[in-house]
Amino acid sequence: MDGKRFGRHGGQYVPETLMNALGELEQAYDEARMDPAFQAELTALSKDYAGRPSLLYFAANMTKDLGGARIYLKREDLNHTGSHKINNVLGQVLLAKRMGKKRVIAETGAGQHGVATATAAALFGMECSVYMGAEDVERQALNVFRMRLLGSEVHSVTSGTATLKDAVNEAMREWTKRVQDTFYVLGSVMGPAPYPRMVRDFQRIIGEEIKTQLMELEGKLPDAVLACVGGGSNAMGAFHAFIPDKSVRLIGVEAAGDGVDTDRHAATITKGTVGIFHGMKSYFLQDDEGQITPVYSISAGLDYPGIGPEHAWLHDEGRAEYVSATDKEAVDAFCYLSRMEGIIPAIESAHAVAHARKIAPEMPEDSVLVVNLSGRGDKDVYQIARYMGVDVHEG
Amino acid sequence: MKDDRNQYASSGRIAEAFEKRKKQGRKALITFVTAGDPDLAATERIVQAMIAEGADLVELGIPYSDPIAEGPVIQAANERALKHGIRMAHVFALADRVRAVTNTPLVLLLYVNVIVQYGADRFFSDCRTSGLDGVIVPDLPYEERGEIEEDAKRHGIALIRMVSPVSDDRIRMVAKGAEGFLYCVSSLGVTGVRAQFDTDFDAFFKSIDAARDIPTALGFGISDGAQVRAVKRYADGVIVGSAMVRTISEAKNPEEAVARAIAFTRELRSALDD
Ligand SMILES: Cc1ncc(COP(=O)(O)O)c(C=O)c1O
């Protein structure tokens, strides 16, 4: 592997105009990665600004209620800006600064990556433009306003299906236009090399902390680690440190929308085929002539027709398992965790909680199940109320 | 017999087309149209009309769900064409019919996933059978050409390479062994009509001309006869895409679309020839 591929997946399928920029990014990243000063600055920011390490919380009520594995929640929802996205963003924006770029752009689905990028841009005094599908602008209105408050421009993308994939298209187009002065802060372990590897490295801290924290709390490795999968960054972050530990089951939960046997879902590995899109070879939901098919999930952050190439590889190798949870299961889990533990999860993370409810009862009582709680649910409350038919309106 | 007309290497038709203009002391005109916009029958007539009015090579855009290298004009054409359910079989049949009446080279512009899902070997075999000469794949850079290159070669279809104003030291690498013509991207960004160019064409083409051994064509954003006059000296040909698609899209009916394509091709041809 040359660092660009994960088995047959990955690569750099982008227009010629971006090739030198990707080369420069790769070189700058590899230098930064080996530079203790860069790592020290990132570690300090993660601690003092983002609030790391995030807690590993023993969910006693849930454990008792489900009767099986001991359940721990990795509280990425407690990070500054409310999700794991900040881990990656701090790394990339520090790199942008190091490369002398004064303008960053980003795509966003649920708005969490956009908010994190807008936040870091504010902190470092950079200009920031975020691309967001028009449909997501509507269902995540709160995050749109947060980004604007933070001083970012938010561009509503109306092309195609007006969701996350179209936001990525538009961010890539914008990057091709302004490649010389703009740094593209990609939000997940996807896209052309070196992004999947770089984003994974910046998210790897999640699994490293789980390992250390659990060793202190339980004196052992977990039996399974669960995470939701959109592009796959919170899952890859939680999984990566455990890949060599073969006893640890790694389980990614995709969005099944109305069900994987309907045409309204976003279960890429469950239902997709190998193709090339958004700069990478991986699994995609597509038709027999390579047109990307519209996807659907209640969760804007999981509403994506592809998955990062390293997940595709973990799937091919049989090292990780990929399952799915429907909208309904996710909303039930959203409500369940709120009542059971007093923690309102992001609707994305609720997909992982939904699967935990399925498997925890079947696991032995001395086993340990870690659920990566990738984000908090404040942004979703309005939409969930609507889903449940409750009318929430301001004063 | 169908295959007879394709027996000589198909990129031979591309070389001949540039050669012919060169002998006349003129530049080649390459025009682009999205297959199926406004509809397939109109596309066929538009292609034939452009050829009759002096286009030396025609690019047929395959409509795609996510055309990341395209600006709003061609994106919209893609969406319109996809609504008509355009599939590769329609495009091959169209190429077949055009090839029956003309020797002008035809190339496809499409995204790599379309070729990969169709199956590269079958894809290029069908290209050859339909008398197509090359493919332009904007999301397949030089480093990833192995994905389809062997299959294209086996069937004699040119894999047309691109260089851009920020290719710098990559130009030599990309130009070496390039086939058909070298697609020189005029400016950064996606396709679309541009009021002006920021690129230093003298420097850009100095590097290109030092490296290339096949014809060059300059494209992306060239929007009218005046711009053609301003840039034609740099390359062996010019490519006009978005501006053609835009004028076609402004037509009220297919009849008018064909008439607009004729008028615009004429304008471009005369700008190249005067
Ligand atoms: C809270 C949260 N979790 C998960 C995701 C999905 O992204 P990824 O699969 O890259 O972790 C998002 C994306 O917006 C998110 O906001």
Side-chain angles (χ1 to χ4, degrees):
Chain A
M1 268 187 250
D2 54 3
K4 291 187 170 69
R5 296 261 166 195
F6 304 93
R8 60 181 164 154
H9 302 287
Q12 262 174 344
Y13 302 87
V14 296
E16 169 63 24
T17 295
L18 295 179
M19 287 303 283
N20 268 331
L22 286 174
E24 283 160 25
L25 175 64
E26 185 162 27
Q27 197 187 342
Y29 172 59
D30 282 329
E31 283 166 16
R33 196 164 59 91
M34 306 311 276
D35 179 355
F38 178 86
Q39 293 298 346
E41 196 176 356
L42 180 56
T43 304
L45 265 179
S46 301
K47 175 170 167 284
D48 303 332
Y49 189 67
R52 299 212 73 86
S54 70
L55 300 176
L56 185 68
Y57 167 74
F58 176 59
N61 297 344
M62 200 176 158
T63 299
K64 184 154 171 260
D65 180 63
L66 295 175
R70 295 169 61 75
I71 299 170
Y72 283 86
L73 303 176
K74 179 60 173 166
R75 300 290 309 276
E76 292 299 302
D77 60 316
L78 295 177
N79 296 338
H80 180 42
T81 70
S83 82
H84 69 292
K85 297 286 183 187
I86 193 77
N87 305 332
N88 167 44
V89 164
L90 289 177
Q92 287 198 44
V93 172
L94 270 186
L95 185 60
K97 190 182 97 178
R98 188 182 163 102
M99 291 174 75
K101 307 273 178 176
K102 297 197 167 54
R103 176 176 184 255
V104 293
I105 57 170
E107 85 294 342
T108 197
Q112 290 302 101
H113 175 62
V115 166
T117 307
T119 298
L123 181 67
F124 287 100
M126 291 181 186
E127 188 188 330
C128 177
S129 284
V130 178
Y131 294 82
M132 187 168 187
E135 191 175 313
D136 298 336
V137 165
E138 194 184 322
R139 55 182 166 173
Q140 298 289 350
L142 189 63
N143 272 344
V144 174
F145 187 65
R146 285 168 83 196
M147 288 183 263
R148 293 193 170 131
L149 265 180
L150 291 159
S152 267
E153 276 178 24
V154 180
H155 301 268
S156 175
V157 178
T158 53
S159 57
T161 56
T163 56
L164 179 54
K165 96 174 155 69
D166 309 284
V168 175
N169 291 345
E170 213 46 49
M172 278 185 154
R173 290 182 185 122
E174 175 64 16
W175 197 31
T176 339
K177 258 180 233 163
R178 298 265 308 256
V179 63
Q180 285 153 315
D181 73 343
T182 296
F183 187 106
Y184 180 15
V185 181
L186 229 162
S188 193
V189 285
M190 44 158 289
Y195 283 104
R197 171 171 66 98
M198 177 171 72
V199 177
R200 175 257 277 155
D201 290 349
F202 289 141
Q203 292 292 1
R204 200 187 127 86
I205 183 90
I206 301 174
E208 284 172 352
E209 285 177 8
I210 294 174
K211 214 175 206 178
T212 319
Q213 291 165 323
L214 203 62
M215 209 44 90
E216 269 169 34
L217 292 160
E218 295 273 349
K220 62 173 190 172
L221 289 170
D223 294 275
V225 179
L226 263 179
C228 67
V229 183
S233 67
N234 86 89
M236 193 51 66
F239 293 175
H240 198 252
F242 295 106
I243 291 175
D245 304 311
K246 295 285 154 59
S247 68
V248 181
R249 282 175 72 191
L250 306 174
I251 307 172
V253 187
E254 303 188 314
D258 288 347
V260 293
D261 295 321
T262 71
D263 57 7
R264 277 165 56 84
H265 64 79
T268 309
I269 286 205
T270 311
K271 286 290 187 172
T273 50
V274 175
I276 297 169
F277 183 52
H278 281 165
M280 60 181 168
K281 183 179 284 187
S282 188
Y283 287 90
F284 298 98
L285 293 165
Q286 55 184 332
D287 74 10
D288 62 334
E289 292 206 339
Q291 306 283 345
I292 302 303
T293 48
V295 292
Y296 165 78
S297 164
I298 188 172
S299 144
L302 305 183
D303 201 356
Y304 182 69
I307 185 168
E310 195 166 7
H311 282 292
W313 174 70
L314 289 176
H315 169 71
D316 286 356
E317 294 289 303
R319 178 62 192 94
E321 307 157 48
Y322 296 86
V323 297
S324 64
T326 62
D327 278 7
K328 183 171 183 314
E329 289 166 334
V331 171
D332 286 349
F334 181 93
C335 299
Y336 176 85
L337 195 69
S338 302
R339 299 226 175 159
M340 193 59 69
E341 297 288 349
I343 298 170
I344 302 177
I347 188 63
E348 288 78 20
S349 326
H351 286 71
V353 175
H355 195 69
R357 293 176 76 193
K358 290 182 204 167
I359 64 168
E362 274 142 39
M363 294 171 70
E365 283 188 7
D366 59 352
S367 64
V368 170
L369 173 60
V370 177
V371 181
N372 194 33
L373 216 63
S374 56
R376 67 178 183 227
D378 309 40
K379 68 183 176 57
D380 301 308
V381 167
Y382 181 73
Q383 200 202 2
I384 300 298
R386 228 174 3 180
Y387 181 91
M388 301 191 323
V390 179
D391 186 23
V392 192
H393 55 86
E394 270 98 296
Chain B
M1 216 180 92
K2 198 172 192 176
D3 272 345
D4 279 350
R5 63 172 190 253
N6 299 325
Q7 66 192 5
Y8 42 95
S10 55
S11 56
R13 271 193 292 262
I14 300 178
E16 274 171 32
F18 279 95
E19 196 56 38
K20 188 187 98 189
R21 287 300 178 195
K22 197 172 178 189
K23 280 199 191 117
Q24 298 171 343
R26 290 177 174 170
K27 303 288 179 155
L29 174 61
I30 298 175
T31 52
F32 171 94
V33 65
T34 301
D37 175 43
D39 60 47
L40 271 174
T43 302
E44 187 174 339
R45 290 172 61 203
I46 288 168
V47 170
Q48 289 179 354
M50 292 191 304
I51 292 170
E53 294 302 328
D56 299 296
L57 185 151
V58 173
E59 277 181 34
L60 268 178
I62 305 301
Y64 193 54
S65 54
D66 297 86
I68 57 147
E70 311 294 354
V73 171
I74 298 181
Q75 280 178 48
N78 276 253
E79 286 185 18
R80 286 192 297 271
L82 282 175
K83 284 211 182 84
H84 297 147
I86 304 295
R87 292 182 49 91
M88 282 314 305
H90 300 122
V91 177
F92 287 131
L94 187 157
D96 220 19
R97 290 193 297 274
V98 175
R99 179 54 71 229
V101 296
T102 171
N103 209 33
T104 298
L106 296 171
V107 308
L108 301 179
L109 185 138
L110 77 178
Y111 289 83
V112 65
N113 200 35
V114 175
I115 300 176
V116 170
Q117 298 312 316
Y118 197 91
D121 180 55
R122 181 166 79 102
F123 184 89
F124 290 112
S125 166
D126 287 358
C127 282
R128 184 190 173 89
T129 309
S130 305
L132 288 158
D133 299 281
V135 292
I136 301 168
V137 190
D139 61 344
L140 190 76
Y142 176 82
E143 281 79 352
E144 302 288 3
R145 69 195 186 287
E147 203 65 53
I148 59 171
E149 190 178 50
E150 264 179 43
D151 293 299
K153 268 212 169 73
R154 181 163 354 100
H155 296 289
I157 304 299
L159 182 52
I160 290 162
R161 298 187 190 168
M162 304 174 104
V163 291
S164 105
V166 287
S167 292
D168 303 331
D169 51 343
R170 294 174 52 81
I171 290 177
R172 280 182 60 185
M173 172 179 85
V174 174
K176 191 165 186 273
E179 295 176 343
F181 65 92
L182 190 61
Y183 194 128
C184 308
V185 177
S186 71
S187 38
L188 303 188
V190 291
T191 58
V193 179
R194 286 160 173 69
Q196 64 190 56
F197 297 100
D198 300 329
T199 304
D200 177 353
F201 286 129
D202 289 310
F204 185 34
F205 278 94
K206 197 171 163 215
S207 326
I208 291 170
D209 288 335
R212 56 97 165 228
D213 45 24
I214 53 166
T216 54
L218 177 63
F220 265 48
I222 299 174
S223 57
D224 56 20
Q227 277 191 348
V228 166
R229 281 188 196 90
V231 301
K232 66 180 180 183
R233 68 191 162 96
Y234 293 106
D236 301 308
V238 299
I239 306 166
V240 178
S242 295
M244 181 66 76
V245 172
R246 187 176 62 182
T247 188
I248 289 170
S249 76
E250 284 163 358
K252 284 182 218 52
N253 51 52
E255 211 57 48
E256 192 194 331
V258 177
R260 281 171 167 266
I262 290 174
F264 191 46
T265 309
R266 231 174 246 173
E267 175 188 336
L268 298 170
R269 185 73 257 170
S270 72
L272 283 172
D273 293 349
D274 60 24

